[in-house]
């Protein structure tokens, strides 16, 4: 996925958020594609960076109200269909520092769905003596 943030200064200017696991070649390819589409990409940033930046803008008053040496730490968690990531950001007076980012490209909502379906299949089999996996549509209907 790609998220375009229109700047409002010029209708064709935008910032692009790409998945954090994109490498430099993929980022350049996205930037080129956006340029070919007639937009002027000002910046390509990772989606977790865009999220923490957006949060920082919304909490600007609270961040600037922090005293010397004060800070707060926020975790941003995104669980998609096939991947999950967590970003920890430390906000101090006027600054944001990414403390860590962790990805799992093999864990996502589909895994949670599968666990829930297997659980209820076992419950259904115990209570009703019917195995939903005997039918192709059975697991889909439970999900």
């Amino acid at each position: 996925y790609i998220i375009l943030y229109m700047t409002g200064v010029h209708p064709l200017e935008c910032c692009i958020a790409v998945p954090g696991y994109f490498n430099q070649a993929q980022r350049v390819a996205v930037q080129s594609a956006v340029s070919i589409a007639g937009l002027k990409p000002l910046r390509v940033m990772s989606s977790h960076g865009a999220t923490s930046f957006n949060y920082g803008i919304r909490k600007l008053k609270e961040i600037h109200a922090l005293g010397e040496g004060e800070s707060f730490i926020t975790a941003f968690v995104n669980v998609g269909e096939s991947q999950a990531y967590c970003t920890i950001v430390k906000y101090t007076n006027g600054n944001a520092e990414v403390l860590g980012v962790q990805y799992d490209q093999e864990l996502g909502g589909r895994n949670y769905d599968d666990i829930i379906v297997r659980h209820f299949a076992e419950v259904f089999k115990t209570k009703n003596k019917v195995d939903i996996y005997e039918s192709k549509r059975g697991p889909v209907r439970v999900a």
Side-chain angles (χ1 to χ4, degrees):
Y1 61 70
I2 299 167
I3 303 169
L4 294 174
Y5 294 97
M6 305 310 267
T7 63
V9 175
H10 188 275
L12 298 179
E13 292 179 343
C14 63
C15 294
I16 306 164
V18 297
Y21 56 82
F22 268 30
N23 62 32
Q24 188 60 30
Q26 291 169 312
R27 290 170 184 256
V28 169
V30 169
Q31 190 170 12
S32 297
V34 171
S35 295
I36 291 169
L39 298 174
K40 181 181 176 188
L42 300 176
R43 182 175 183 142
V44 177
M45 60 191 326
S46 64
S47 57
H48 60 268
T51 302
S52 61
F53 182 70
N54 189 13
Y55 178 81
I57 289 174
R58 297 189 185 281
K59 294 290 188 177
L60 205 54
K61 286 183 183 179
E62 290 90 338
I63 292 171
H64 284 297
L66 294 172
E68 187 68 32
E70 290 182 317
S71 64
F72 65 91
I73 297 174
T74 305
F76 300 98
V77 179
N78 179 5
V79 179
E81 176 62 19
S82 62
Q83 68 160 347
Y85 73 79
C86 178
T87 306
I88 309 295
V89 180
K90 179 180 179 181
Y91 293 94
T92 57
N93 189 349
N95 293 321
E97 176 186 2
V98 177
L99 300 178
V101 177
Q102 186 61 47
Y103 292 92
D104 190 338
Q105 293 187 39
E106 302 298 322
L107 174 69
R110 66 180 177 203
N111 302 99
Y112 295 115
D113 292 346
D114 186 51
I115 292 168
I116 292 168
V117 168
R118 279 190 274 140
H119 168 76
F120 284 111
E122 193 62 37
V123 169
F124 199 74
K125 188 175 185 178
T126 304
K127 286 186 177 183
N128 300 322
K129 309 291 188 238
V130 175
D131 185 6
I132 67 166
Y133 290 109
E134 290 177 359
S135 164
K136 289 183 180 180
R137 291 182 51 201
V140 176
R141 293 179 76 183
V142 173

